[in-house]
Amino acid sequence: MDLQGIGAVAAAGVTLATIPVLLITGRWQTRAALQGAQEAGRAGFAQAQATYNSALDAVNAQASAAHAQWRRGIQRDAYASFLLAAQQVAEAGDQLMMETTAEAAKVRTAGLDSAKAALRAAAQIVTLEGPDSVDGAAHTILACSLSLANMRESDAEMNRLRERLSTMSELRGGGMATVTRDRAMRLLTASARLQTAIAENPHPLPNINDYRHAPDNMPAAVADAAAEASAALSAFPNRTFSGEERNVLSNMQYRGPFSIQPRYHDRQRELEEAHVEFLRAARAELGSTSSNA
């Protein structure tokens, strides 16, 4: 073989020897590339997961804040509606007190009844919304407001009947006008005398309207005045006053209007204290809800 042939064979051997090396090197490079791609993929996935979690947390936080704000708005509206309903009951009672005719009083009484129903409904909503501290104060306001409204309603009826008696006592003319005037003056005078006797001789008040059946331990001055008041009322024909009006007149004679009684002022004081407590508890609840948001 000549030199040219020997060189060709040598070159071919070198080439054959180089191929395995190239294959191994290429495999290593491919493996390294795959590993790099996998690591990059894992890193990218981790980054994407972190971004997703961050976005999800932000959405949850925003949703929680929105819910807390909505909840606070519902409570605030419930509290405000309740206070407004309580104020409307008080105003309806005051308006009823100013009416002097039965027709106008009937309209005002219907308005008072409607206001009381609205207050009861508003109190139920406060109970649902809570918390207990607000609900407790609300029910004290409810109880005192209804009690005072009932007292005003009774006093309004007393005022109208007293005005009616006053008008009767000023009648002019003879015949039945004179008889009616004398009866009215007698009843007004006897009622005033009874009130004075009670004030000057304190004693437990019996839960009765018929003073002919007064308890034996009633002071003599009160018993005498009560008997005269009862007789003065009985002197009127049955058709003059309805049965309910007679009961109101009896109460007026014996105990007078609620507005001068201690329990009336006690209810007013309790109502004022409950208002203060309600506002304190409501502000605390709305403030805590706001801070939690």
Side-chain angles (χ1 to χ4, degrees):
M1 184 179 296
D2 53 13
L3 293 175
Q4 186 175 0
I6 295 172
V9 172
V14 171
T15 298
L16 292 172
T18 303
I19 289 173
V21 174
L22 293 175
L23 290 174
I24 294 172
T25 301
R27 183 176 296 174
W28 287 346
Q29 291 176 344
T30 300
R31 182 179 298 172
L34 289 174
Q35 291 177 345
Q38 291 175 348
E39 292 175 358
R42 285 193 293 268
F45 178 79
Q47 180 63 34
Q49 185 68 35
T51 301
Y52 171 79
N53 290 337
S54 178
L56 185 61
D57 290 341
V59 170
N60 289 335
Q62 185 176 4
S64 178
H67 176 76
Q69 184 176 3
W70 170 81
R71 171 76 172 152
R72 187 168 64 253
I74 293 295
Q75 288 180 306
R76 182 172 56 248
D77 290 345
Y79 300 161
S81 296
F82 174 76
L83 290 176
L84 178 60
Q87 180 62 29
Q88 290 174 338
V89 168
E91 291 177 356
D94 291 341
Q95 291 169 353
L96 177 59
M97 288 287 293
M98 294 185 294
E99 298 297 347
T100 58
T101 65
E103 294 76 11
K106 184 176 181 180
V107 175
R108 293 297 188 186
T109 299
L112 178 57
D113 290 341
S114 178
K116 289 191 290 187
L119 179 60
R120 293 188 187 95
Q124 290 299 319
I125 296 176
V126 172
T127 298
L128 290 174
E129 293 299 328
D132 291 344
S133 57
V134 178
D135 181 42
H139 275 76
T140 300
I141 292 175
L142 173 65
C144 291
S145 295
L146 294 180
S147 178
L148 287 170
N150 292 336
M151 292 182 191
R152 288 191 182 100
E153 189 171 357
S154 177
D155 282 1
E157 181 66 16
M158 283 188 184
N159 290 341
R160 289 191 297 274
L161 287 173
R162 187 182 291 109
E163 182 67 22
R164 185 175 166 186
L165 286 171
S166 178
T167 300
M168 290 179 180
S169 69
E170 297 173 356
L171 291 175
R172 295 291 181 266
M176 287 304 301
T178 300
V179 174
T180 300
R181 181 181 68 242
D182 291 345
R183 286 171 177 166
M185 292 180 64
R186 178 188 176 190
L187 181 56
L188 289 172
T189 301
S191 296
R193 180 189 171 199
L194 177 57
Q195 286 294 309
T196 300
I198 292 173
E200 294 177 351
N201 301 271
H203 66 286
L205 300 180
N207 186 23
I208 60 172
N209 290 325
D210 188 349
Y211 307 124
R212 292 170 299 180
H213 299 87
D216 295 336
N217 62 348
M218 179 180 290
V222 176
D224 292 342
E228 172 59 22
S230 179
L233 180 57
S234 299
F236 282 90
N238 290 333
R239 64 179 180 275
T240 306
F241 303 108
S242 68
E244 179 61 28
E245 288 174 336
R246 285 181 175 273
N247 286 334
V248 173
L249 286 171
S250 294
N251 287 329
M252 180 184 73
Q253 290 176 328
Y254 196 77
R255 60 168 175 74
F258 280 108
S259 58
I260 65 173
Q261 296 182 30
R263 61 172 169 167
Y264 181 88
H265 298 288
D266 289 343
R267 290 294 178 273
Q268 282 190 318
R269 175 182 51 78
E270 292 171 8
L271 179 61
E272 293 171 359
E273 293 174 352
H275 267 288
V276 173
E277 177 60 22
F278 182 88
L279 289 174
R280 184 202 64 76
R283 287 167 177 164
E285 172 63 12
L286 294 176
S288 65
T289 304
S290 177
S291 63
N292 291 336

